[in-house]
Amino acid sequence: MSMLNWRRDPDYEMRMTAKLIEIEQIKKETEQVRRENKRLAELNSRMDALLRHPDSYFSIPPETDCN
């Protein structure tokens, strides 16, 4: 009997669309944070190597990507 009174809710569709867009944005931001964490971990590793072996500074190639 409840199906006889069912009406389409356009607000629900708009909310769902907004949520899907929000989820995609969060996925993109999460991936960007993961890439940045990886980059920082690599830099941290290089810094540790420099601190442990300061005489070998010139054997480590300089970072070429400034971003």
Side-chain angles (χ1 to χ4, degrees), residues 12-57:
Y12 172 79
E13 289 182 19
M14 288 174 46
R15 287 191 308 270
M16 290 305 295
T17 301
K19 288 293 180 186
L20 290 173
I21 291 170
E22 183 180 351
I23 288 169
E24 286 302 314
Q25 182 64 30
I26 290 171
K27 285 180 181 179
K28 289 177 186 176
E29 291 171 1
T30 301
E31 184 57 35
Q32 183 178 356
V33 168
R34 284 186 180 138
R35 284 192 305 267
E36 182 67 8
N37 282 345
K38 181 180 176 185
R39 186 184 75 82
L40 291 173
E42 290 169 357
L43 288 174
N44 192 34
S45 176
R46 290 181 59 172
M47 294 280 291
D48 286 344
L50 287 173
L51 290 173
R52 277 185 259 131
H53 308 287
D55 295 338
S56 64
Y57 173 73

